[in-house]
Amino acid sequence: TYTIMLVANKFQTGFDQPLLSAMYIDKKLSGVTAVQTLSRLNRTHRTAGGEVKRKTYVLDFVNKPDDIRAAFEPYFTNATLETETDPYVVAHLAAKLAQAGIYTADQV
């Protein structure tokens, strides 16, 4: 089961959701706003079965990696970005899912 939560500025005001593991950014972030928003992902979580959330993902449609790195530097002197994703990764995944026939266009 997948649960999706859509929010507007809520993660910038201290909202805490430890289950959050992915964030899709569609607006410009800078300075402390970028740090507060993206830091919502670093909450730990353990399921009732003992599974621990190990990775988080950000898919940013707007901001440049260097701008996000610069926003974190005043607070985290060794801030790094692990990887920069192929911009077509979503299109490739969509094509694979479509070919698998798991769902129909009407269901989407």
Side-chain angles (χ1 to χ4, degrees):
T1 307
Y2 294 98
T3 303
I4 296 175
M5 175 174 43
L6 301 175
V7 297
N9 297 335
K10 192 169 189 175
F11 291 116
Q12 297 167 348
T13 59
F15 177 78
D16 190 18
Q17 173 48 271
L19 294 175
L20 186 65
S21 60
M23 189 177 288
Y24 302 88
I25 309 293
D26 67 350
K27 69 183 237 180
K28 189 76 174 156
L29 298 173
S30 63
V32 71
T33 301
V35 174
Q36 288 176 332
T37 301
L38 297 172
S39 293
R40 299 299 123 197
L41 286 169
N42 70 355
R43 304 298 191 256
T44 60
H45 177 72
R46 183 181 303 267
T47 65
E51 184 180 339
V52 177
K53 177 176 83 172
R54 300 207 181 274
K55 290 202 175 212
T56 57
Y57 303 91
V58 175
L59 183 57
D60 192 333
F61 295 97
V62 181
N63 300 283
K64 295 179 180 161
D66 288 339
D67 294 340
I68 296 299
R69 186 180 300 109
F72 273 82
E73 283 176 354
Y75 308 99
F76 303 94
T77 55
N78 294 323
T80 61
L81 298 175
E82 186 176 308
T83 59
E84 189 172 332
T85 306
D86 171 1
Y88 298 103
V89 71
V90 174
H92 295 306
L93 179 58
K96 285 182 185 178
L97 289 171
Q99 289 174 355
I102 296 170
Y103 56 85
T104 67
D106 290 338
Q107 290 172 319
V108 174

